[in-house]
Amino acid sequence: KQEVTQIPAALSVPEGENLVLNCSFTDSAIYNLQWFRQDPGKGLTSLLLIQSSQREQTSGRLNASLDKSSGRSTLYIAASQPGDSATYLCAVTDTDKLIFGTGTRLQVFP
Amino acid sequence: DARVTQTPRHKVTEMGQEVTMRCQPILGHNTVFWYRQTMMQGLELLAYFRNRAPLDDSGMPKDRFSAEMPDATLATLKIQPSEPRDSAVYFCASGLVRDGVPSTDTQYFGPGTRLTVL
């Protein structure tokens, strides 16, 4: 059974820092991996999707990498801003279902 | 701007009452998912449909939960009778799957229904 874990569970940093959020999964047979952002009381917004054949994806200040063989993905946030404060969730696609990690709650203070 | 819509956004009810949540998937998407989010369990998949047919509802308590797709534009999740432990945020998402392979497009999530059962 696929299990997805995220470390750390919470992170509080000053504005401007570069951040790394970690995601690990137990079964490397995945179609893709996604990183989502969730703001308090809101739904999920997809940030990046990495196909299983890809190693990384970039969008603005965000960069996500994927190492299927080791069952790991990282989300790199450059020059963090207070507006980045949210919960970040990674999810792997197992056939056509998303299996979510536990999330990392990020707070960026001015 | 296509999006998934859910109604109601908030629901407060008493234990034992029936609750119905509705979802309108993005037009053209053939797969609809129901998730539940709690502080303790995180996001869990309850059930999902492909071309309106249920594919997997193993995450759903069968004795009280039921999910249907009366037509391609409407998915419903019903709880009867509701219990306090059902209090959670329920998300609907839709996506496109072709030939059993997920589209390169992502799943799109609705804003959720926050359910409180007293």
Side-chain angles (χ1 to χ4, degrees):
Chain A
K1 177 187 174 186
Q2 178 76 270
E3 292 184 1
V4 183
T5 306
Q6 290 185 246
I7 295 173
L11 189 59
S12 182
V13 299
E15 181 177 10
E17 279 204 6
N18 299 324
L19 309 171
V20 175
L21 307 183
N22 296 293
C23 172
S24 61
F25 47 96
T26 55
D27 187 346
S28 62
I30 61 171
Y31 278 112
N32 57 46
L33 182 143
Q34 296 182 54
W35 284 92
F36 290 87
R37 170 183 172 139
Q38 185 176 28
D39 293 284
K42 300 291 180 63
L44 278 70
T45 302
S46 180
L47 297 172
L48 290 164
L49 183 150
I50 311 176
Q51 298 293 341
S52 62
S53 58
Q54 297 174 324
R55 294 195 64 85
E56 66 176 341
Q57 281 286 337
T58 298
S59 176
R61 294 182 294 108
L62 304 180
N63 175 276
S65 67
L66 173 64
D67 184 343
K68 262 186 60 174
S69 59
S70 67
R72 294 180 183 176
S73 176
T74 60
L75 178 66
Y76 178 83
I77 304 176
S80 59
Q81 303 171 357
D84 295 329
S85 299
T87 297
Y88 291 81
L89 295 154
C90 73
V92 298
T93 303
D94 181 0
T95 59
D96 48 10
K97 299 184 289 186
L98 282 175
I99 300 174
F100 283 88
T102 46
T104 293
R105 182 174 296 179
L106 172 65
Q107 182 176 12
V108 182
F109 53 90
Chain B
D1 184 24
R3 60 183 66 189
V4 176
T5 58
Q6 291 187 247
T7 56
R9 294 293 311 278
H10 302 273
K11 176 72 175 178
V12 180
T13 190
E14 293 186 346
M15 183 173 62
Q17 296 298 305
E18 178 178 300
V19 174
T20 298
M21 291 168 272
R22 294 177 174 79
C23 166
Q24 181 172 2
I26 291 174
L27 190 65
H29 282 185
N30 62 357
T31 309
V32 176
F33 304 81
W34 283 105
Y35 295 89
R36 175 172 64 184
Q37 186 177 39
T38 62
M39 289 294 293
M40 294 299 295
Q41 301 295 328
L43 262 166
E44 305 173 285
L45 178 67
L46 295 176
Y48 72 106
F49 294 77
R50 173 82 35 76
N51 298 321
R52 297 177 55 201
L55 286 192
D56 186 348
D57 61 1
S58 59
M60 212 163 60
K62 303 286 193 308
D63 55 339
R64 299 183 300 109
F65 284 59
S66 61
E68 295 180 346
M69 279 201 74
D71 61 60
T73 64
L74 177 65
T76 62
L77 180 66
K78 188 176 296 185
I79 308 174
Q80 168 63 16
S82 58
E83 297 181 1
R85 58 179 169 155
D86 300 330
S87 297
V89 181
Y90 291 81
F91 288 103
C92 173
S94 71
L96 184 61
V97 176
R98 296 190 185 95
D99 300 326
V101 177
S103 164
T104 54
D105 206 356
T106 183
Q107 287 186 20
Y108 289 86
F109 279 73
T113 294
R114 182 174 296 275
L115 173 65
T116 303
V117 183
L118 304 174

